[in-house]
Amino acid sequence: MNIPKSNLKRIVVIGSGFAGIQFIKNLNVEKYQIVLLDKHNYHTFQPLLYQVATAGLEPDSIAYTVRHIFEKEAVAGNFYFRIAKINKIEASTNTIFSDIGTLTYDKLVISTGSKTNYYGNENIEKFAMSMKTIPEALDLRSLILHNFEDATVTNNEVEKERLMNYVIVGAGPTGVELAGSLAELKNHVLPNDYPELDIKKMNIHLVDATDRVLVSMSEEASKNAQKYLEEMGVNIHFGIIVKDYDGTKVITNKQSFETNTLIWSAGVTGNLIFGINNTSQEKGRYLVDEHNKIINHNNVYAIGDVALMKSDVKFANGHPMVAQVAMQQGKNLANNLANTLNNKPLNNFIYNDRGSMATIGRNKAVVDLDKIKFKGFFAWIVWMFVHLVSLVGFRNKVVALINWLIQYFSYDKHVRLIIRPFKRKVFEEVTSFRNID
């Protein structure tokens, strides 16, 4: 990896998500040699991936290069970044094995985040669309646009219906926001783009195994979000467990849906790396103590989505897998390493829940704070402000704001571009004309 030797303790961080960035930003770079490894050279603002998928934002509006984020740390010395795919961790020898070589560490911080959880269903994993990365969001955008292009050239009404039907599995924030964004496309954009199609026949189905949307938020927020979605024409189905999908038909415990596009937002699991003991894992995440140290390991830590902490009394089953938890854990771990150097006691991690929010569409959002809950235009403004402030980089903030302002006054989404054509592999005997891979 061409990392120079140093008299300083080497801290290796795997993953440049919210947790990893906050951890490094709160470290004293003069006290350690810091090596950051990631398979991409950019940080992704995942809460806005759905807007990339529905042509609201370009990917460079929600991504920022890692080297620019840590420009000051690199110039100051002792900070190194490498693009690498980690294949194995050998904790007994403090060694990381990657596609670009091996590296030893004094302390290892795993902040690899989460990945889509298909719960072992191979067909759903093969044929459904997920949305955890920028490439996946771009693939989904291309597929959505291709669907309508294909619908204009087919005379098969059954196939046309499949092309214009969308099933979103999971009514959490991602599913709700994606359904709302698709509904805005249907109601305000697609009729103008495809006047030869009867866009009213486009169906957006949001299905969930529970009895309400946004189960992680208050019942008040859930009811308001459901009302907004239904007003926008989204079909909501509760108590639905998806059992199978072959690329054209969704099979559930209650009914079936004909669709060429199943979007899976029904769950995530930790992005684990081979080598950590199975006894240190539970529910697809690394078990950590109150200081984010992985159980049964002396110098390996996990922060963010990949960490499962049970010591926080308010979250006995683990913290929610959201950005605020990741950022707070990253900062707390950095402070604890400083406390160790200064012979000070360590601080137990206690999550400060600052509330949650979700947007459904223009002037439609719900916000849950500690003692206040509100909806509508003001909630939408709060949602927009929080996400703008959280974006990394001044340019990204400006570009996102300009796009949102244009869309607010025109309802138009100007990035309906198929830059990287994408079509899923489907069974040839079912839809042979679309099987181009």
Side-chain angles (χ1 to χ4, degrees):
M1 291 190 188
N2 197 26
I3 305 296
K5 293 183 178 180
S6 173
N7 294 325
L8 299 173
K9 296 288 186 181
R10 176 182 291 163
I11 299 177
V12 176
V13 182
I14 304 176
S16 61
F18 292 107
I21 287 178
Q22 283 298 312
F23 171 69
I24 296 173
K25 282 294 184 180
N26 284 276
L27 280 178
N28 185 341
V29 294
E30 297 180 357
K31 300 292 184 180
Y32 311 95
Q33 183 188 70
I34 305 168
V35 181
L36 174 61
L37 307 174
D38 197 288
K39 60 184 177 181
H40 301 296
N41 77 328
Y42 55 85
H43 163 76
T44 302
F45 189 76
Q46 290 187 338
L48 292 179
L49 277 172
Y50 81 95
Q51 293 211 4
V52 173
T54 54
L57 292 173
E58 279 287 15
D60 59 357
S61 300
I62 66 167
Y64 208 73
T65 61
V66 171
R67 291 191 179 277
H68 200 163
I69 293 172
F70 296 109
E71 186 176 30
K72 293 181 180 178
E73 288 79 2
V75 171
N78 302 328
F79 173 84
Y80 302 89
F81 171 68
R82 298 290 184 267
I83 297 177
K85 179 182 178 181
I86 310 304
N87 299 320
K88 178 184 177 182
I89 297 170
E90 193 173 84
S92 60
T93 60
N94 291 0
T95 305
I96 296 170
F97 297 84
S98 78
D99 60 345
I100 62 170
T102 62
L103 185 67
T104 59
Y105 59 83
D106 293 292
K107 292 186 183 298
L108 173 64
V109 178
I110 303 174
S111 57
T112 47
S114 58
K115 61 183 179 180
T116 303
N117 189 355
Y118 297 98
Y119 303 100
N121 193 310
E122 294 181 0
N123 275 347
I124 292 176
E125 183 174 359
K126 181 179 181 180
F127 294 114
M129 301 297 294
S130 59
M131 198 178 59
K132 285 292 293 179
T133 66
I134 285 178
E136 288 178 343
L138 286 173
D139 287 343
L140 180 54
R141 183 179 80 179
S142 292
L143 180 61
I144 291 170
L145 296 174
H146 261 302
N147 284 344
F148 289 97
E149 296 297 333
D150 288 345
T152 63
V153 298
T154 181
N155 292 320
N156 186 322
E157 291 301 319
V158 174
E159 179 61 20
K160 185 176 293 187
E161 180 181 340
R162 291 195 190 111
L163 288 164
M164 295 174 63
N165 284 349
Y166 293 84
V167 177
I168 303 169
V169 184
T174 299
V176 165
E177 292 178 340
L178 183 58
S181 192
L182 278 175
E184 287 195 331
L185 278 175
K186 173 186 176 180
N187 296 331
H188 303 287
V189 178
L190 296 176
N192 298 322
D193 278 5
Y194 301 97
E196 65 267 51
L197 294 175
D198 185 1
I199 298 298
K200 292 180 181 179
K201 292 183 178 181
M202 174 183 174
N203 290 302
I204 303 165
H205 300 282
L206 178 62
V207 305
D208 197 277
T210 66
D211 60 356
R212 64 186 179 98
V213 303
L214 300 176
V215 293
S216 62
M217 298 183 67
S218 67
E219 289 192 13
E220 180 181 343
S222 176
K223 290 178 180 178
N224 289 325
Q226 181 177 341
K227 181 181 177 182
Y228 286 143
L229 288 169
E230 290 174 341
E231 289 174 349
M232 297 169 72
V234 176
N235 304 300
I236 304 175
H237 310 266
F238 296 122
I240 296 290
I241 299 174
V242 177
K243 295 184 174 182
D244 203 4
Y245 178 56
D246 64 0
T248 60
K249 178 181 285 189
V250 182
I251 305 299
T252 80
N253 60 321
K254 291 186 177 181
Q255 64 188 98
S256 62
F257 300 91
E258 296 283 343
T259 179
N260 282 21
T261 309
L262 174 69
I263 305 170
W264 190 263
S265 62
V268 293
T269 186
N271 209 356
L272 305 180
I273 302 173
F274 179 75
I276 300 297
N277 296 334
N278 290 335
T279 56
S280 303
Q281 302 174 23
E282 185 177 315
K283 298 178 181 178
R285 301 164 77 182
Y286 293 125
L287 281 168
V288 298
D289 64 15
E290 63 273 17
H291 307 130
N292 281 96
K293 182 184 292 184
I294 296 181
I295 302 299
N296 301 325
H297 289 75
N298 292 324
N299 55 353
V300 184
Y301 301 81
I303 52 178
D305 287 357
V306 77
L308 177 62
M309 182 186 295
K310 296 183 174 182
S311 56
D312 194 335
V313 293
K314 291 184 178 180
F315 302 91
N317 295 318
H319 298 100
M321 298 165 79
V322 296
Q324 278 299 321
V325 173
M327 295 168 71
Q328 291 178 33
Q329 285 186 348
K331 184 176 181 180
N332 188 71
L333 179 57
N335 291 339
N336 275 339
L337 293 186
N339 290 344
T340 300
L341 285 179
N342 298 321
N343 295 316
K344 293 182 178 180
L346 302 182
N347 299 317
N348 295 347
F349 177 74
I350 299 176
Y351 175 45
N352 178 19
D353 189 353
R354 297 173 181 171
S356 53
M357 60 185 69
T359 183
I360 297 89
R362 170 176 161 170
N363 298 342
K364 298 178 178 68
V366 289
V367 175
D368 281 352
L369 300 181
D370 186 23
K371 297 180 180 180
I372 304 174
K373 298 174 178 60
F374 51 98
K375 63 175 182 176
F377 175 76
F378 182 62
W380 181 73
I381 292 294
V382 170
W383 177 92
M384 190 165 59
F385 173 78
V386 168
H387 284 73
L388 277 176
V389 170
S390 300
L391 279 170
V392 179
F394 176 76
R395 175 193 172 278
N396 289 16
K397 293 178 172 64
V398 172
V399 171
L401 179 60
I402 291 173
N403 273 277
W404 288 343
L405 288 174
I406 291 173
Q407 292 167 31
Y408 183 81
F409 289 106
S410 69
Y411 265 123
D412 202 0
K413 299 188 177 187
H414 295 286
V415 290
R416 300 187 299 281
L417 309 174
I418 306 175
I419 299 297
R420 37 180 288 162
F422 174 85
K423 293 189 179 183
R424 291 179 301 98
K425 291 182 179 180
V426 297
F427 290 132
E428 186 173 354
E429 64 270 21
V430 177
T431 53
S432 57
F433 86 96
R434 299 190 73 231
N435 188 8
I436 65 171
D437 287 332

